Amino acid sequence: MDKDTLISRARALETPKDFLNLMNEIKADLLGDKSFPFSVRQLHILCNPKNEKKRYVSFEIPKKSGGSRQICAPSGNLKWFQICLNELFKALYTPSPYAMGFTIGKSIVDNARMHTNQNYVFNIDLKDFFPSIDQARVWKRLQLAPFNFNPKIAGLIAGLCSIKSVRYSDSGAFSECYVLPQGAPTSPLLTNAICDTLDRRLYGLAKRFGLHYSRYADDITFSSMHNVYHPDGDFRKELERIITDQRFTINAKKTRLQHCSVRQEVTGITVGQKLNVARKYVKDVRAILHIWEKYGINAAYATFYPRYKSEKCQLHRGEPNLINVISGKLCYLKMVKGENDPVYAKLFSQFTRLTSTEKPVAKPKDIDYLFTMPLIAFEKKLGCKLEYRTRTHDNKPYACFYFQGRFFVVGVSKNLDINNLPGNVEISLTRMAVPLSFYVAEGNPIPKIKPTKPQVGYLLHKHYSGKKRKEEIAAIAFNQSSDVPDSLREFVLSLAEHFPELQLRDDMGIIESQQETDLLSRLVDSNFDLSILP
């Protein structure tokens, strides 16, 4: 749905039913055939912030300045409601020219560039930026231009975008409140809309005193060739009055005045004669690339991983990939210093040379298919039925089943659609070598080969008839011996060694045939307890 259509549809909203229909149309545009429409019941439940059950998932991430920041991420249908709402907001609203954060086409580089070649840079921070904006304030702003929603529609939207919270006073007393959550897709644009008046008044203040002004979210910056930032001066008094009038609070701990005689920084970027990054940033990238080039990628990863984990504290997206992290750091360096900068050019050339000869060590080795059989036969023999689900945090598909009172998870191949499974889909018991993370103590040699551990599990995949499979079938047809591959025999015998109570013997028919489908059938028919597999 194009921008003009969204605007015309938004102008025509009169009832909650109109709003729900528009949200369903936007969702269908985003997801296509996979879209399931929102229901009236879901809208009524989710638009009330008092119904906190399963609306948000809260977690904390560390701040660079110390402490932690609480993130409230919406889950389930509320997340999709907010994604669709954000599409509508972007069509209706254009941020002010002084708002550099959460704005298409602008970045922290644009924010910092406004304050280069200045004698004084003055930074302030707004305390509890998102939680300081109440639901009632959002409701009122949505009734004004350019949104112009009627009070009923504005109430639905404000409820969908708010979260139940607790606010403490200086005396220690607390009260229940409903505010914008930090972590919702709709919160950034709504804060920019609510700060329009703040931006206009602060720009007027800056113009009056001959200053440059910009705001990146809750980070406000002024700069000038002259000093008007004295604590008891007219500028500071008027600044505090405007911010208080707009129902925000200055964070005194983060207020700082930077003279050109020291390193001036705006939103993490050094501003002086030109934009730059901190020396430590370049030094860290150069050190990792040097270790990689001299000692290999394993040594570089062993040095990089402990530092990265100590900085990030929590790795919400899994273990870091060294190549991806270095690539991202170089992209940031290019954005700040420019593509023609000699420091960036040298580091990028070194990185390109290393990645062209090295392969990432984080990727697992080839998968060994220990047993494979058609899914229909598998379900029939176990007397179970696979269920198909998606993970809540990334919507990736997986399958699962119950056997002997235990729960098993089945991985799903990337090229398989669980909503449209082919008739010849197969399930395999697989084994792969997964690299182990390791730490090198000071003074100990770095291992040349990263140790691995075998991992066994189920995988659902299409019928495989590639070159490797054809060679295996041809070998079976040529050799009618009842022997099985050594790797498979070792696997079964190791099970018997680690689990002597199973009493696995050849006379049970587990390893007498070389055919993979027969092996899995016999393993199931022998009442082998599949739950012992890791």
Side-chain angles (χ1 to χ4, degrees):
M1 196 179 299
D2 59 78
K3 181 177 179 179
D4 292 335
T5 305
L6 279 173
I7 293 174
S8 62
R9 291 294 305 278
R11 297 286 178 261
L13 292 178
E14 294 291 340
T15 65
K17 186 177 180 181
D18 296 336
F19 172 72
L20 185 64
N21 290 337
L22 180 56
M23 290 297 99
N24 283 327
E25 289 183 36
I26 296 174
K27 187 179 181 183
D29 279 350
L30 294 174
L31 296 179
D33 296 337
K34 296 181 180 180
S35 172
F36 290 93
F38 301 117
S39 66
V40 176
R41 182 174 179 272
Q42 289 171 347
L43 175 60
H44 287 162
I45 292 174
L46 295 174
C47 73
N48 187 354
K50 293 181 181 179
N51 299 324
E52 281 301 295
K53 187 176 181 181
K54 296 182 179 178
R55 291 180 83 240
Y56 288 91
V57 176
S58 299
F59 57 90
E60 292 184 348
I61 59 174
K63 295 182 180 179
K64 288 184 178 180
S65 58
S68 61
R69 175 181 287 110
Q70 186 178 43
I71 302 297
C72 299
S75 58
N77 287 309
L78 180 61
K79 174 184 176 182
W80 280 106
F81 258 119
Q82 292 183 353
I83 290 174
C84 296
L85 270 172
N86 204 45
E87 293 298 313
L88 182 62
F89 290 161
K90 287 189 290 185
L92 293 170
Y93 174 76
T94 301
S96 75
Y98 319 109
M100 299 295 169
F102 317 127
T103 304
I104 297 174
K106 294 182 181 179
S107 66
I108 58 174
V109 174
D110 299 298
N111 184 55
R113 187 176 287 118
M114 294 182 62
H115 306 285
T116 55
N117 294 310
Q118 299 296 311
N119 285 340
Y120 297 92
V121 174
F122 182 64
N123 301 101
I124 64 171
D125 183 87
L126 301 182
K127 187 176 180 181
D128 298 329
F129 184 52
F130 289 94
S132 64
I133 300 176
D134 295 312
Q135 179 182 347
R137 194 173 178 186
V138 175
W139 173 73
K140 185 62 179 178
R141 181 65 182 88
L142 291 173
Q143 298 176 59
L144 304 176
F147 303 103
N148 297 316
F149 295 120
N150 65 47
K152 198 163 189 178
I153 299 298
L156 286 175
I157 297 175
L160 286 169
C161 299
S162 301
I163 187 174
K164 184 178 178 181
S165 184
V166 175
R167 184 171 293 160
Y168 293 89
S169 64
D170 295 337
S171 62
F174 62 90
S175 59
E176 191 177 87
C177 60
Y178 302 94
V179 299
L180 285 183
Q182 184 167 0
T186 49
S187 293
L189 190 144
L190 286 174
T191 55
N192 275 343
I194 287 169
C195 287
D196 277 346
T197 303
L198 175 70
D199 287 334
R200 185 175 64 254
R201 294 184 66 181
L202 290 182
Y203 172 72
L205 176 65
K207 187 176 181 181
R208 174 183 158 194
F209 283 87
L211 317 176
H212 300 281
Y213 163 71
S214 69
R215 180 182 60 84
Y216 192 95
D218 59 348
D219 195 325
I220 294 174
T221 306
F222 297 91
S223 62
S224 61
M225 299 301 290
H226 54 288
N227 185 6
V228 296
Y229 310 105
H230 305 291
D232 297 325
D234 293 339
F235 171 78
R236 289 285 290 270
K237 290 178 180 179
E238 185 66 12
L239 173 65
E240 291 174 7
R241 188 186 67 80
I242 292 174
I243 290 177
T244 303
D245 284 349
Q246 292 299 305
R247 288 182 277 176
F248 291 109
T249 305
I250 296 177
N251 188 346
K253 294 180 180 178
K254 294 186 178 181
T255 299
R256 63 190 189 279
L257 177 63
Q258 305 169 87
H259 187 255
C260 60
S261 59
V262 298
R263 186 169 67 90
Q264 298 170 319
E265 189 177 274
V266 177
T267 52
I269 297 176
T270 301
V271 292
Q273 297 299 319
K274 62 179 182 177
L275 298 181
N276 209 339
V277 298
R279 290 183 181 179
K280 184 179 183 302
Y281 188 93
V282 176
K283 184 179 178 181
D284 288 345
V285 175
R286 185 183 287 121
I288 291 295
L289 291 177
H290 172 74
I291 294 172
W292 184 353
E293 187 167 43
K294 190 168 184 179
Y295 301 105
I297 192 170
N298 286 336
Y301 187 84
T303 304
F304 151 82
Y305 183 82
R307 293 182 185 176
Y308 187 88
K309 192 169 183 179
S310 65
E311 290 174 0
K312 300 298 181 182
C313 294
Q314 299 181 33
L315 304 176
H316 295 289
R317 298 185 178 180
E319 296 299 317
N321 183 297
L322 175 62
I323 293 179
N324 291 344
V325 173
I326 297 299
S327 176
K329 286 181 175 291
L330 289 173
C331 286
Y332 177 75
L333 193 63
K334 175 184 175 181
M335 181 176 70
V336 176
K337 295 174 73 69
E339 187 175 6
N340 297 324
D341 182 80
V343 174
Y344 162 75
K346 183 178 180 180
L347 292 175
F348 180 74
S349 175
Q350 186 180 13
F351 175 73
T352 304
R353 184 174 67 254
L354 290 170
T355 51
S356 64
T357 57
E358 290 278 4
K359 293 182 179 180
V361 296
K363 289 188 176 180
K365 295 181 180 178
D366 238 349
I367 298 176
D368 292 326
Y369 291 83
L370 303 173
F371 312 102
T372 301
M373 67 188 300
L375 177 60
I376 297 175
F378 179 83
E379 291 179 331
K380 182 178 178 182
K381 285 189 173 292
L382 267 68
C384 67
K385 190 73 176 176
L386 260 66
E387 298 178 22
Y388 303 98
R389 305 176 182 177
T390 55
R391 300 193 303 199
T392 56
H393 64 283
D394 58 8
N395 291 323
K396 287 188 178 180
Y398 71 95
C400 57
F401 66 92
Y402 289 88
F403 180 72
Q404 294 185 357
R406 301 196 183 185
F407 181 76
F408 295 87
V409 175
V410 180
V412 177
S413 178
K414 291 181 180 179
N415 60 358
L416 202 62
D417 183 3
I418 61 174
N419 297 315
N420 188 23
L421 292 175
N424 61 347
V425 66
E426 295 179 332
I427 187 170
S428 296
L429 185 64
T430 64
R431 178 176 59 186
M432 64 184 76
V434 180
L436 286 171
S437 58
F438 64 96
Y439 298 88
V440 179
E442 187 175 353
N444 291 346
I446 298 173
K448 292 182 179 180
I449 301 176
K450 194 172 182 179
T452 60
K453 66 175 180 179
Q455 180 172 297
V456 180
Y458 285 100
L459 177 67
L460 195 67
H461 57 88
K462 290 182 179 179
H463 174 68
Y464 175 60
S465 57
K467 181 180 178 182
K468 183 179 179 181
R469 186 70 169 268
K470 289 178 180 178
E471 290 174 353
E472 292 173 352
I473 294 173
I476 293 171
F478 176 79
N479 184 9
Q480 298 298 327
S481 169
S482 62
D483 290 339
V484 298
D486 291 340
S487 60
L488 183 57
R489 184 182 293 276
E490 290 173 5
F491 170 71
V492 176
L493 293 179
S494 67
L495 285 177
E497 180 180 350
H498 290 92
F499 304 94
E501 65 274 17
L502 296 174
Q503 297 181 351
L504 297 177
R505 300 188 303 274
D506 285 346
D507 59 1
M508 294 178 67
I510 295 177
I511 58 174
E512 68 177 26
S513 170
Q514 194 174 10
Q515 292 284 357
E516 290 181 341
T517 55
D518 289 342
L519 287 167
L520 183 54
S521 302
R522 294 179 185 279
L523 190 64
V524 173
D525 291 339
S526 67
N527 293 321
F528 174 69
D529 186 0
L530 300 179
S531 63
I532 68 167
L533 295 177

